[in-house]
Amino acid sequence: MRSADANEGLDRWIGTRSFGRVHEHHESLTSTNDRAWAWMGEGAPHGALVTAELQTVGRGRRGRVWSSPGGGGDIYASLVLRNVVEAGEGPAKVLRLPGVALAVAVGVRDGITAASEIDPGRIGLKWPNDVQIDGRKVAGVLCESRWQGTRADVVVGIGCNVGRTEFEGNLRDIATSLRLADAGGRLLNRAHVLAEILGGIEAVLPEYLCGGFEAIRARYEPYSVLTGRVVEIDGRGGRVRAVVRGLDANGRLEVHRLDGGQVFVVESGEVSLSGGG
């Protein structure tokens, strides 16, 4: 069911040109991404925003479930992006679609920095789609795309732990919230945080779509939590341990195998810090 005054007055805080200006809020959804795709089919414009109090089947990367309980004042949101990537203009253009999550993660980090008093040096980016505080996940991004001829429509799902004070199961050791990370334990206004996140994404995404990863490298690499670290990579060839050298021109992870093997790039797969993380 749609709610009128969504997310405690988003209109009061929002300063974007289009992102979130058209907004639909629900008490409960299977996932905000599902609703965003359905709404796109009904004619939702570029920048339309779906939010929910809780998700019953919230999705993360690689088929995982994003923990989405209600009552914690957290953010579950999805953005509609129409015709954002065009095919047929050379390999670099085509490769930009998987990297949209990198740009969105930069925007989420910028938004969290603007909305909170948390030291920016504590807020890191874990390739390809997580935002961390002190090594614990505080936000995640899930980008889903569908091609319409030579153009791709994208739905960007964003989850951000704002007010939660406890986590269940294995999340206790790997997750945090803005409230837990704040030295004073302050509960931030969720609408303010969301407005800043939307502003951050709207600022960085055009740079990425026009210039690829190189256009935003200076905004990503200083906060990469994997660069220089030993990681374990789960891919089709099994698990590999390697040192992360950085990101290549297309935003792929460049690593050097520890077993004396070659330097190679990682486009997808599960990457975790050796020993956890």
Side-chain angles (χ1 to χ4, degrees):
M1 178 126 184
R2 298 181 189 183
S3 169
D5 188 20
N7 275 5
E8 301 124 32
L10 182 61
D11 288 347
R12 172 188 169 193
W13 299 98
I14 200 163
T16 56
R17 295 181 302 277
S18 63
F19 285 10
R21 291 290 182 176
V22 177
H23 180 195
E24 181 180 285
H25 184 69
H26 296 258
E27 291 301 316
S28 176
L29 288 172
T30 54
S31 84
T32 56
N33 270 26
D34 287 345
R35 175 54 197 155
W37 281 119
W39 195 14
M40 190 182 295
E42 297 163 7
H46 178 75
L49 176 71
V50 177
T51 55
E53 290 298 322
L54 65 90
Q55 299 180 113
T56 57
V57 195
R59 295 197 295 278
R61 282 185 72 242
R62 302 177 69 79
R64 290 192 181 93
V65 173
W66 175 270
S67 177
S68 312
D74 297 329
I75 292 170
Y76 313 123
S78 293
L79 268 174
V80 168
L81 304 180
R82 288 189 176 274
N83 300 326
V84 293
V85 180
E86 186 171 356
E89 294 186 12
K93 192 73 171 178
V94 174
L95 282 171
R96 286 175 195 162
L97 182 54
V100 168
L102 300 178
V104 172
V106 168
V108 172
R109 183 191 177 279
D110 288 348
I112 289 173
T113 300
S116 73
E117 296 181 5
I118 298 169
D119 182 349
R122 297 170 57 197
I123 309 173
L125 297 168
K126 181 175 180 287
W127 185 93
N129 69 327
D130 288 350
V131 181
Q132 297 184 339
I133 298 177
D134 299 331
R136 290 174 175 255
K137 183 171 180 175
V138 71
V141 175
L142 176 65
C143 293
E144 299 175 329
S145 60
R146 295 177 184 175
W147 287 95
Q148 305 291 336
T150 61
R151 307 285 295 186
D153 292 330
V154 178
V155 164
V156 175
I158 304 156
C160 182
N161 303 323
V162 178
R164 215 183 307 192
T165 56
E166 57 183 29
F167 294 86
E168 66 278 3
N170 66 337
L171 293 179
R172 293 191 188 100
D173 298 324
I174 61 175
T176 190
S177 70
L178 299 183
R179 187 172 189 176
L180 289 172
D182 183 273
R186 285 163 288 207
L187 177 60
L188 298 177
N189 183 293
R190 176 178 56 169
H192 183 205
V193 176
L194 178 56
E196 295 289 358
I197 286 174
L198 293 172
I201 298 170
E202 190 176 74
V204 71
L205 192 58
E207 296 179 32
Y208 177 79
L209 294 175
C210 289
F213 181 71
E214 289 299 334
I216 65 166
R217 179 183 292 276
R219 300 174 66 176
Y220 192 100
E221 280 201 326
Y223 308 105
S224 171
V225 302
L226 296 184
T227 301
R229 306 287 295 278
V230 176
V231 298
E232 296 181 355
I233 304 162
D234 289 331
R236 293 178 182 175
R239 176 168 289 190
V240 173
R241 295 182 76 239
V243 176
V244 176
R245 295 170 47 142
L247 284 83
D248 75 359
N250 291 304
R252 299 173 300 186
L253 208 62
E254 191 174 77
V255 302
H256 186 197
R257 293 176 64 127
L258 288 183
D259 59 7
Q262 76 279 19
V263 174
F264 66 101
V265 294
V266 181
E267 295 189 44
S268 63
E270 185 62 23
V271 177
S272 59
L273 290 168
S274 186

